[in-house]
Structures are given as structure tokens and as C-alpha cells.
Amino acid sequence: MDRDLNLNRAETFSFINPWIRYFLFFFSFLFWVFSLLIVAIGVYAKVQKATTVRDSFLIDPAIILIVVGVVMFFITFCGCIGALRENIRLLKTFSFSLTLVFLTQLAIAVLGFFYSDQTRDALGRFVRKAIVHYRDNLDLQNLMDYIQKEFKCCGWNNYTDWSWNLYFNCSQGNPSTERCGVPFSCCTPGVINTMCGFGVQTQTYLDAEKSIYPVGCAERAVTWIESHLLLVGALALGLALPQV
């Protein structure tokens, strides 16, 4: 009798608290499914594009989605199967990976705060590449249009930054019909003409202000963050808490 009781206890014994086990399994499974969705969206967006410019590969939103999705899939898979099967090795891998990701995010946030000028320069290089490849990559085009519409800005420093783009370049030898122009996403809501941005790079700041938002997105982003510190803090906390 005692022998049977001891065997039953051995079979039901668990190194992990059942509540923690199923809680971890549920959230890991939830984020595992979400990671598959992210990878699927990234792959679909990548397949839909006929060509990819080599220089824009690392800033391609589709590639970024695929990489983030694959990393999430690996981490949540370890957590999900590790909790379900009580596999200590998978749980340790899950814990180590999640800790590494969390510390990386924390380091980026701290460095971004203390080295704000270098962070702004890095973001400026990213936006410059996005402007250069605006017509080459549909995802980058949609991303730039969304940013400019939401922040009511144009370019990184100001509207003349669009001269970085081959089609909007303001040099005399440019045969493009969009020469010295800016995208429609720079235009003010009151303007219904889709050609409102044509030729504005040749205008003064005050004249350009009548039809577009001449201020750069860098200034707008800083202003937005300063006026929405509570929201930024809540988003950062919302990102950190599930990992903790």
C-alpha cells in the first residue's frame, strides 16, 4: 500500500507550481501564435514585392517583421513546450533568452536617453535611406507616408531633404516630372490637389507652408514625445511587464 502511494506521488510530482506552469504555458502559447502571424505578414509582404534593393535590405519593414517574428517564435516555443513538458533545459533557455532580450531593450533605452544626439543621428540615417529608396520599396513608401501624415512633417530636417531622392532631386539635370517636389503625404489636409507638393523645394519656407508641412519629422517627433511623456512611459511599461 505504501509502495503504491509512493509511486503515485512520484508520478504526480512536479518541479513547477501548477499555477505558474499553466500561466506560463498560456501566455507563451498566445505570443507563439502572435509570432507566427508576424512572420506570415512579413513573408507575404516580402513575396508581394517584385525586387529588393540591396541597400534597403536592412531597413525593409518586411525583413524586420520576419526577424522579430522568428526571434519571438524561438523564445515562446521554448517557454510553451518547456512549461507543458516540464523540460528544465527548455525553461532555462526561455529564461536566458527573455532576460537577454529584456536587458538589450533596457540598454538601448538607457543609451538612447544619455546619448540623444547620437540616437538622433542614427535615426536620421535610417530616414535618409527611407527617403532615398522611397520609390523602390512600397513598404518604406507607406511607412514614410504614414509618419509624415501622423506627425504633420516633411523630411527629416525639413522639406528640402526630399532632394535626397532620385525623383524629387532638385538638380538642373533631373528629367523627372517630380523634380523639386515632395510626396503628397507632406501636404496639409486643406489641400485636395495631389500635385500640391510639386516644385515646393524651390519655394521659401513661408511660401511652402501654404501647401505643405515644411517642418522636419525630427523636430515633430521630439515635440510629440515631450508632450506625451505619460503615454511613452505607459507603452514602455506595457512592453516590459509581460517580459518580467
Side-chain angles (χ1 to χ4, degrees):
M1 184 71 179
D2 291 338
R3 185 172 177 273
D4 292 338
L5 184 62
N6 289 332
L7 284 173
N8 290 332
R9 284 179 178 175
E11 289 175 358
T12 58
F13 178 76
S14 174
F15 287 101
I16 307 170
N17 184 296
W19 287 102
I20 296 176
R21 175 186 176 185
Y22 290 112
F23 181 81
L24 178 60
F25 170 76
F26 173 75
F27 277 98
S28 294
F29 181 77
L30 193 67
F31 282 98
W32 180 67
V33 173
F34 183 60
S35 69
L36 288 176
L37 182 62
I38 291 176
V39 172
I41 293 172
V43 170
Y44 175 78
K46 190 66 181 170
V47 170
Q48 289 299 305
K49 290 184 289 190
T51 57
T52 302
V53 180
R54 186 187 303 174
D55 194 35
S56 66
F57 183 81
L58 294 177
I59 61 171
D60 190 336
I63 298 297
I64 294 173
L65 281 177
I66 293 172
V67 172
V68 171
V70 168
V71 172
M72 278 185 62
F73 177 85
F74 170 76
I75 295 175
T76 53
F77 176 81
C78 291
C80 188
I81 303 301
L84 186 65
R85 304 296 299 174
E86 295 190 21
N87 189 308
I88 302 300
R89 185 173 296 176
L90 283 177
L91 288 175
K92 284 182 177 180
T93 304
F94 171 77
S95 178
F96 174 78
S97 301
L98 198 58
T99 302
L100 186 64
V101 169
F102 179 75
L103 291 177
T104 301
Q105 293 172 350
L106 185 64
I108 291 173
V110 171
L111 290 174
F113 179 78
F114 286 104
Y115 297 95
S116 56
D117 291 338
Q118 288 84 343
T119 303
R120 179 168 175 158
D121 291 341
L123 288 173
R125 288 192 293 271
F126 174 86
V127 174
R128 183 186 178 103
K129 280 191 174 183
I131 290 175
V132 169
H133 299 290
Y134 179 77
R135 293 295 190 205
D136 305 326
N137 191 310
L138 184 60
D139 292 330
L140 281 178
Q141 181 175 323
N142 292 333
L143 178 63
M144 282 301 301
D145 286 339
Y146 176 79
I147 291 173
Q148 292 187 147
K149 285 179 181 178
E150 288 298 313
F151 285 97
K152 298 179 179 179
C153 58
C154 192
W156 179 244
N157 299 302
N158 56 57
Y159 64 104
T160 60
D161 289 344
W162 279 99
S163 214
W164 295 335
N165 185 273
L166 179 66
Y167 298 93
F168 298 111
N169 187 272
C170 213
S171 59
Q172 291 293 332
N174 186 8
S176 173
T177 55
E178 296 178 304
R179 176 180 170 271
C180 294
V182 295
F184 179 67
S185 55
C186 289
C187 299
T188 55
V191 180
I192 57 175
N193 182 7
T194 56
M195 299 176 66
C196 65
F198 280 39
V200 294
Q201 290 188 50
T202 59
Q203 299 176 9
T204 63
Y205 189 93
L206 292 176
D207 290 335
E209 201 171 18
K210 297 175 183 177
S211 57
I212 67 166
Y213 295 110
V215 66
C217 293
E219 184 179 336
R220 289 289 194 192
V222 171
T223 304
W224 186 89
I225 292 173
E226 288 176 348
S227 59
H228 296 81
L229 287 175
L230 186 62
L231 177 60
V232 173
L235 289 173
L237 191 62
L239 183 65
L241 278 179
Q243 296 178 57
V244 172

Short mmCIF file of all heavy atoms in Angstrom, two decimals, residues 49-53 56 127-145 148 162 164-169 176-179 181-185 194-195 197-198:
data_model
loop_
_atom_site.label_atom_id
_atom_site.label_comp_id
_atom_site.label_asym_id
_atom_site.label_seq_id
_atom_site.Cartn_x
_atom_site.Cartn_y
_atom_site.Cartn_z
N LYS A 49 6.50 41.94 -53.16
CA LYS A 49 7.41 42.88 -53.82
C LYS A 49 8.25 42.14 -54.85
O LYS A 49 8.84 41.11 -54.57
CB LYS A 49 8.32 43.57 -52.80
CG LYS A 49 7.58 44.55 -51.91
CD LYS A 49 8.50 45.28 -50.98
CE LYS A 49 9.03 44.38 -49.89
NZ LYS A 49 9.73 45.13 -48.84
N ALA A 50 8.28 42.68 -56.06
CA ALA A 50 8.98 42.00 -57.16
C ALA A 50 10.49 41.98 -56.94
O ALA A 50 11.15 40.97 -57.13
CB ALA A 50 8.65 42.68 -58.49
N THR A 51 11.06 43.11 -56.54
CA THR A 51 12.51 43.22 -56.37
C THR A 51 12.84 43.87 -55.03
O THR A 51 12.01 44.55 -54.42
CB THR A 51 13.14 44.08 -57.49
OG1 THR A 51 12.52 45.37 -57.50
CG2 THR A 51 12.95 43.41 -58.84
N THR A 52 14.06 43.68 -54.61
CA THR A 52 14.55 44.30 -53.38
C THR A 52 15.89 44.96 -53.64
O THR A 52 16.81 44.33 -54.16
CB THR A 52 14.72 43.26 -52.25
OG1 THR A 52 13.47 42.63 -52.01
CG2 THR A 52 15.20 43.93 -50.98
N VAL A 53 16.00 46.23 -53.31
CA VAL A 53 17.26 46.95 -53.46
C VAL A 53 18.18 46.56 -52.31
O VAL A 53 17.78 46.57 -51.14
CB VAL A 53 17.02 48.48 -53.45
CG1 VAL A 53 18.33 49.23 -53.62
CG2 VAL A 53 16.05 48.86 -54.58
N SER A 56 18.61 48.77 -49.22
CA SER A 56 17.45 48.95 -48.34
C SER A 56 17.04 47.67 -47.63
O SER A 56 16.00 47.61 -46.97
CB SER A 56 16.25 49.48 -49.16
OG SER A 56 15.81 48.51 -50.09
N VAL A 127 16.12 57.39 -41.76
CA VAL A 127 15.13 58.15 -42.54
C VAL A 127 15.71 58.55 -43.89
O VAL A 127 15.01 58.54 -44.91
CB VAL A 127 14.67 59.39 -41.75
CG1 VAL A 127 13.75 60.28 -42.61
CG2 VAL A 127 13.93 58.97 -40.49
N ARG A 128 17.00 58.90 -43.92
CA ARG A 128 17.64 59.26 -45.19
C ARG A 128 17.57 58.09 -46.18
O ARG A 128 17.25 58.28 -47.35
CB ARG A 128 19.09 59.67 -44.96
CG ARG A 128 19.80 60.14 -46.24
CD ARG A 128 21.28 60.40 -46.02
NE ARG A 128 21.90 60.79 -47.27
CZ ARG A 128 22.23 62.04 -47.60
NH1 ARG A 128 21.97 63.03 -46.76
NH2 ARG A 128 22.79 62.32 -48.75
N LYS A 129 17.87 56.88 -45.69
CA LYS A 129 17.78 55.70 -46.56
C LYS A 129 16.35 55.47 -47.02
O LYS A 129 16.10 55.08 -48.17
CB LYS A 129 18.30 54.45 -45.84
CG LYS A 129 19.81 54.34 -45.80
CD LYS A 129 20.24 52.97 -45.30
CE LYS A 129 21.75 52.81 -45.40
NZ LYS A 129 22.20 51.46 -44.99
N ALA A 130 15.40 55.69 -46.11
CA ALA A 130 13.99 55.52 -46.46
C ALA A 130 13.57 56.52 -47.54
O ALA A 130 12.80 56.19 -48.44
CB ALA A 130 13.12 55.69 -45.21
N ILE A 131 14.09 57.75 -47.46
CA ILE A 131 13.79 58.77 -48.47
C ILE A 131 14.44 58.41 -49.81
O ILE A 131 13.81 58.52 -50.86
CB ILE A 131 14.25 60.16 -47.99
CG1 ILE A 131 13.36 60.64 -46.83
CG2 ILE A 131 14.22 61.17 -49.13
CD1 ILE A 131 13.79 61.95 -46.21
N VAL A 132 15.70 57.96 -49.75
CA VAL A 132 16.42 57.60 -50.97
C VAL A 132 15.70 56.49 -51.72
O VAL A 132 15.58 56.51 -52.94
CB VAL A 132 17.87 57.18 -50.63
CG1 VAL A 132 18.54 56.56 -51.85
CG2 VAL A 132 18.68 58.39 -50.15
N HIS A 133 15.18 55.50 -50.98
CA HIS A 133 14.53 54.34 -51.60
C HIS A 133 13.00 54.43 -51.54
O HIS A 133 12.31 53.41 -51.60
CB HIS A 133 14.99 53.06 -50.91
CG HIS A 133 16.47 52.82 -51.02
ND1 HIS A 133 17.08 52.49 -52.21
CD2 HIS A 133 17.47 52.90 -50.10
CE1 HIS A 133 18.38 52.35 -52.01
NE2 HIS A 133 18.64 52.60 -50.74
N TYR A 134 12.49 55.64 -51.46
CA TYR A 134 11.05 55.87 -51.33
C TYR A 134 10.26 55.23 -52.46
O TYR A 134 9.21 54.62 -52.25
CB TYR A 134 10.79 57.38 -51.27
CG TYR A 134 9.33 57.76 -51.15
CD1 TYR A 134 8.66 57.67 -49.93
CD2 TYR A 134 8.62 58.23 -52.26
CE1 TYR A 134 7.34 58.04 -49.81
CE2 TYR A 134 7.29 58.61 -52.14
CZ TYR A 134 6.65 58.51 -50.93
OH TYR A 134 5.33 58.86 -50.82
N ARG A 135 10.74 55.34 -53.69
CA ARG A 135 10.04 54.79 -54.85
C ARG A 135 10.45 53.34 -55.16
O ARG A 135 9.82 52.69 -55.97
CB ARG A 135 10.31 55.65 -56.09
CG ARG A 135 9.71 57.05 -56.06
CD ARG A 135 8.22 57.02 -56.05
NE ARG A 135 7.64 58.34 -56.27
CZ ARG A 135 6.45 58.71 -55.86
NH1 ARG A 135 5.70 57.85 -55.20
NH2 ARG A 135 5.98 59.93 -56.11
N ASP A 136 11.48 52.85 -54.48
CA ASP A 136 11.98 51.50 -54.75
C ASP A 136 11.33 50.44 -53.88
O ASP A 136 11.31 49.26 -54.23
CB ASP A 136 13.50 51.44 -54.55
CG ASP A 136 14.23 52.47 -55.39
OD1 ASP A 136 13.76 52.75 -56.50
OD2 ASP A 136 15.25 53.00 -54.92
N ASN A 137 10.82 50.84 -52.72
CA ASN A 137 10.28 49.90 -51.75
C ASN A 137 8.91 50.38 -51.28
O ASN A 137 8.80 51.41 -50.62
CB ASN A 137 11.24 49.77 -50.56
CG ASN A 137 10.88 48.63 -49.64
OD1 ASN A 137 9.74 48.48 -49.22
ND2 ASN A 137 11.87 47.82 -49.31
N LEU A 138 7.87 49.64 -51.63
CA LEU A 138 6.50 50.05 -51.31
C LEU A 138 6.26 50.14 -49.81
O LEU A 138 5.54 51.03 -49.34
CB LEU A 138 5.50 49.08 -51.95
CG LEU A 138 4.01 49.43 -51.79
CD1 LEU A 138 3.71 50.79 -52.43
CD2 LEU A 138 3.14 48.35 -52.41
N ASP A 139 6.86 49.22 -49.04
CA ASP A 139 6.68 49.24 -47.58
C ASP A 139 7.31 50.49 -46.97
O ASP A 139 6.73 51.12 -46.08
CB ASP A 139 7.30 48.00 -46.95
CG ASP A 139 6.54 46.73 -47.34
OD1 ASP A 139 5.33 46.83 -47.56
OD2 ASP A 139 7.16 45.66 -47.41
N LEU A 140 8.51 50.86 -47.45
CA LEU A 140 9.15 52.08 -46.97
C LEU A 140 8.33 53.31 -47.36
O LEU A 140 8.21 54.27 -46.58
CB LEU A 140 10.56 52.20 -47.54
CG LEU A 140 11.66 51.37 -46.88
CD1 LEU A 140 12.98 51.56 -47.60
CD2 LEU A 140 11.82 51.75 -45.41
N GLN A 141 7.78 53.27 -48.56
CA GLN A 141 6.95 54.39 -49.03
C GLN A 141 5.73 54.57 -48.12
O GLN A 141 5.42 55.69 -47.70
CB GLN A 141 6.50 54.13 -50.46
CG GLN A 141 5.63 55.25 -51.04
CD GLN A 141 5.30 55.02 -52.51
OE1 GLN A 141 6.13 54.52 -53.27
NE2 GLN A 141 4.10 55.38 -52.91
N ASN A 142 5.05 53.47 -47.81
CA ASN A 142 3.88 53.53 -46.94
C ASN A 142 4.26 53.98 -45.53
O ASN A 142 3.52 54.73 -44.88
CB ASN A 142 3.19 52.16 -46.88
CG ASN A 142 2.54 51.79 -48.20
OD1 ASN A 142 2.15 52.66 -48.98
ND2 ASN A 142 2.42 50.49 -48.46
N LEU A 143 5.43 53.52 -45.05
CA LEU A 143 5.89 53.90 -43.71
C LEU A 143 6.18 55.40 -43.64
O LEU A 143 5.76 56.08 -42.70
CB LEU A 143 7.15 53.11 -43.35
CG LEU A 143 7.79 53.43 -41.99
CD1 LEU A 143 6.83 53.09 -40.87
CD2 LEU A 143 9.10 52.66 -41.82
N MET A 144 6.90 55.93 -44.65
CA MET A 144 7.21 57.36 -44.68
C MET A 144 5.95 58.20 -44.80
O MET A 144 5.82 59.23 -44.14
CB MET A 144 8.17 57.66 -45.83
CG MET A 144 9.62 57.28 -45.57
SD MET A 144 10.34 58.12 -44.14
CE MET A 144 10.14 59.85 -44.59
N ASP A 145 5.02 57.75 -45.64
CA ASP A 145 3.76 58.49 -45.80
C ASP A 145 2.98 58.53 -44.49
O ASP A 145 2.41 59.56 -44.11
CB ASP A 145 2.91 57.86 -46.90
CG ASP A 145 3.45 58.16 -48.30
OD1 ASP A 145 4.21 59.14 -48.43
OD2 ASP A 145 3.11 57.42 -49.24
N GLN A 148 4.75 60.95 -41.97
CA GLN A 148 4.58 62.36 -42.34
C GLN A 148 3.14 62.84 -42.13
O GLN A 148 2.91 63.98 -41.73
CB GLN A 148 5.03 62.58 -43.79
CG GLN A 148 6.53 62.40 -43.96
CD GLN A 148 7.03 62.77 -45.35
OE1 GLN A 148 8.15 63.26 -45.49
NE2 GLN A 148 6.24 62.54 -46.38
N TRP A 162 13.94 66.01 -49.27
CA TRP A 162 13.46 65.13 -50.33
C TRP A 162 14.29 65.23 -51.60
O TRP A 162 14.10 64.47 -52.54
CB TRP A 162 11.98 65.40 -50.62
CG TRP A 162 11.13 64.70 -49.61
CD1 TRP A 162 10.55 65.23 -48.49
CD2 TRP A 162 10.80 63.30 -49.59
NE1 TRP A 162 9.89 64.26 -47.77
CE2 TRP A 162 10.02 63.07 -48.43
CE3 TRP A 162 11.09 62.24 -50.43
CZ2 TRP A 162 9.53 61.81 -48.11
CZ3 TRP A 162 10.59 60.97 -50.11
CH2 TRP A 162 9.83 60.77 -48.97
N TRP A 164 17.18 64.29 -51.56
CA TRP A 164 17.99 63.07 -51.48
C TRP A 164 17.45 61.99 -52.42
O TRP A 164 18.20 61.13 -52.84
CB TRP A 164 17.99 62.53 -50.05
CG TRP A 164 18.65 63.41 -49.04
CD1 TRP A 164 19.61 64.34 -49.26
CD2 TRP A 164 18.40 63.43 -47.62
NE1 TRP A 164 19.97 64.96 -48.09
CE2 TRP A 164 19.25 64.42 -47.06
CE3 TRP A 164 17.55 62.73 -46.77
CZ2 TRP A 164 19.27 64.71 -45.70
CZ3 TRP A 164 17.57 63.02 -45.42
CH2 TRP A 164 18.42 64.00 -44.89
N ASN A 165 16.17 62.07 -52.71
CA ASN A 165 15.56 61.07 -53.57
C ASN A 165 15.81 61.38 -55.05
O ASN A 165 15.79 62.53 -55.46
CB ASN A 165 14.05 61.00 -53.30
CG ASN A 165 13.35 59.90 -54.08
OD1 ASN A 165 12.94 60.11 -55.22
ND2 ASN A 165 13.22 58.75 -53.48
N LEU A 166 16.04 60.34 -55.82
CA LEU A 166 16.36 60.49 -57.24
C LEU A 166 15.26 61.21 -58.00
O LEU A 166 15.54 62.05 -58.86
CB LEU A 166 16.61 59.11 -57.86
CG LEU A 166 16.94 59.06 -59.35
CD1 LEU A 166 18.29 59.72 -59.61
CD2 LEU A 166 16.96 57.62 -59.85
N TYR A 167 14.01 60.92 -57.68
CA TYR A 167 12.89 61.50 -58.42
C TYR A 167 12.58 62.94 -57.99
O TYR A 167 12.15 63.75 -58.80
CB TYR A 167 11.63 60.63 -58.23
CG TYR A 167 11.79 59.24 -58.76
CD1 TYR A 167 12.21 58.20 -57.91
CD2 TYR A 167 11.55 58.94 -60.09
CE1 TYR A 167 12.37 56.90 -58.39
CE2 TYR A 167 11.70 57.65 -60.58
CZ TYR A 167 12.12 56.64 -59.72
OH TYR A 167 12.27 55.36 -60.20
N PHE A 168 12.80 63.23 -56.70
CA PHE A 168 12.50 64.57 -56.18
C PHE A 168 13.72 65.48 -56.15
O PHE A 168 13.62 66.63 -55.71
CB PHE A 168 11.92 64.47 -54.77
CG PHE A 168 10.62 63.71 -54.69
CD1 PHE A 168 10.55 62.46 -54.07
CD2 PHE A 168 9.45 64.23 -55.24
CE1 PHE A 168 9.36 61.76 -54.00
CE2 PHE A 168 8.25 63.55 -55.17
CZ PHE A 168 8.21 62.31 -54.56
N ASN A 169 14.86 64.96 -56.58
CA ASN A 169 16.10 65.74 -56.57
C ASN A 169 15.93 67.04 -57.35
O ASN A 169 15.33 67.07 -58.42
CB ASN A 169 17.23 64.92 -57.18
CG ASN A 169 18.57 65.61 -57.03
OD1 ASN A 169 18.96 66.40 -57.89
ND2 ASN A 169 19.27 65.32 -55.95
N SER A 176 13.05 64.06 -64.14
CA SER A 176 11.81 63.59 -63.52
C SER A 176 10.75 64.68 -63.47
O SER A 176 11.05 65.86 -63.24
CB SER A 176 12.10 63.09 -62.10
OG SER A 176 10.90 62.78 -61.42
N THR A 177 9.51 64.29 -63.66
CA THR A 177 8.39 65.25 -63.57
C THR A 177 8.15 65.69 -62.12
O THR A 177 7.47 66.69 -61.88
CB THR A 177 7.10 64.63 -64.12
OG1 THR A 177 6.83 63.39 -63.42
CG2 THR A 177 7.22 64.33 -65.60
N GLU A 178 8.71 64.93 -61.16
CA GLU A 178 8.56 65.26 -59.74
C GLU A 178 9.73 66.07 -59.21
O GLU A 178 9.87 66.24 -58.00
CB GLU A 178 8.41 63.98 -58.92
CG GLU A 178 7.16 63.18 -59.24
CD GLU A 178 7.07 61.89 -58.45
OE1 GLU A 178 8.03 61.09 -58.53
OE2 GLU A 178 6.06 61.69 -57.75
N ARG A 179 10.56 66.56 -60.09
CA ARG A 179 11.75 67.33 -59.72
C ARG A 179 11.37 68.50 -58.80
O ARG A 179 10.41 69.22 -59.05
CB ARG A 179 12.43 67.86 -60.99
CG ARG A 179 13.62 68.77 -60.74
CD ARG A 179 14.23 69.24 -62.05
NE ARG A 179 15.20 70.29 -61.81
CZ ARG A 179 14.91 71.59 -61.76
NH1 ARG A 179 13.67 71.98 -61.96
NH2 ARG A 179 15.86 72.48 -61.52
N GLY A 181 10.03 68.45 -56.02
CA GLY A 181 8.76 68.26 -55.32
C GLY A 181 8.92 67.47 -54.03
O GLY A 181 10.02 67.13 -53.61
N VAL A 182 7.79 67.19 -53.39
CA VAL A 182 7.72 66.35 -52.19
C VAL A 182 6.49 65.45 -52.32
O VAL A 182 5.59 65.75 -53.09
CB VAL A 182 7.62 67.19 -50.89
CG1 VAL A 182 8.88 68.01 -50.68
CG2 VAL A 182 6.39 68.08 -50.91
N PRO A 183 6.43 64.33 -51.59
CA PRO A 183 5.25 63.45 -51.67
C PRO A 183 3.98 64.14 -51.20
O PRO A 183 4.01 65.12 -50.44
CB PRO A 183 5.62 62.28 -50.76
CG PRO A 183 7.10 62.33 -50.65
CD PRO A 183 7.47 63.77 -50.73
N PHE A 184 2.85 63.58 -51.61
CA PHE A 184 1.55 64.13 -51.24
C PHE A 184 1.32 64.06 -49.73
O PHE A 184 0.53 64.84 -49.19
CB PHE A 184 0.44 63.37 -51.98
CG PHE A 184 -0.95 63.83 -51.65
CD1 PHE A 184 -1.38 65.10 -52.01
CD2 PHE A 184 -1.83 63.00 -50.96
CE1 PHE A 184 -2.67 65.53 -51.70
CE2 PHE A 184 -3.11 63.43 -50.65
CZ PHE A 184 -3.54 64.69 -51.02
N SER A 185 2.00 63.12 -49.05
CA SER A 185 1.83 62.98 -47.60
C SER A 185 2.35 64.19 -46.83
O SER A 185 2.06 64.35 -45.64
CB SER A 185 2.53 61.72 -47.10
OG SER A 185 3.90 61.70 -47.48
N THR A 194 -3.51 66.52 -55.56
CA THR A 194 -2.44 65.54 -55.31
C THR A 194 -1.08 66.03 -55.81
O THR A 194 -0.06 65.45 -55.46
CB THR A 194 -2.77 64.20 -56.00
OG1 THR A 194 -2.99 64.43 -57.40
CG2 THR A 194 -4.01 63.56 -55.38
N MET A 195 -1.07 67.09 -56.60
CA MET A 195 0.19 67.65 -57.10
C MET A 195 0.63 68.85 -56.27
O MET A 195 1.44 69.66 -56.72
CB MET A 195 0.04 68.04 -58.58
CG MET A 195 -0.32 66.86 -59.48
SD MET A 195 -0.61 67.35 -61.20
CE MET A 195 1.02 67.91 -61.70
N GLY A 197 2.57 69.12 -53.86
CA GLY A 197 3.98 69.16 -53.46
C GLY A 197 4.94 69.44 -54.58
O GLY A 197 6.15 69.54 -54.35
N PHE A 198 4.46 69.57 -55.81
CA PHE A 198 5.34 69.78 -56.96
C PHE A 198 6.01 71.14 -56.91
O PHE A 198 5.36 72.17 -56.77
CB PHE A 198 4.55 69.65 -58.27
CG PHE A 198 4.32 68.22 -58.69
CD1 PHE A 198 4.02 67.24 -57.75
CD2 PHE A 198 4.39 67.85 -60.01
CE1 PHE A 198 3.81 65.93 -58.12
CE2 PHE A 198 4.17 66.52 -60.40
CZ PHE A 198 3.88 65.57 -59.44
#
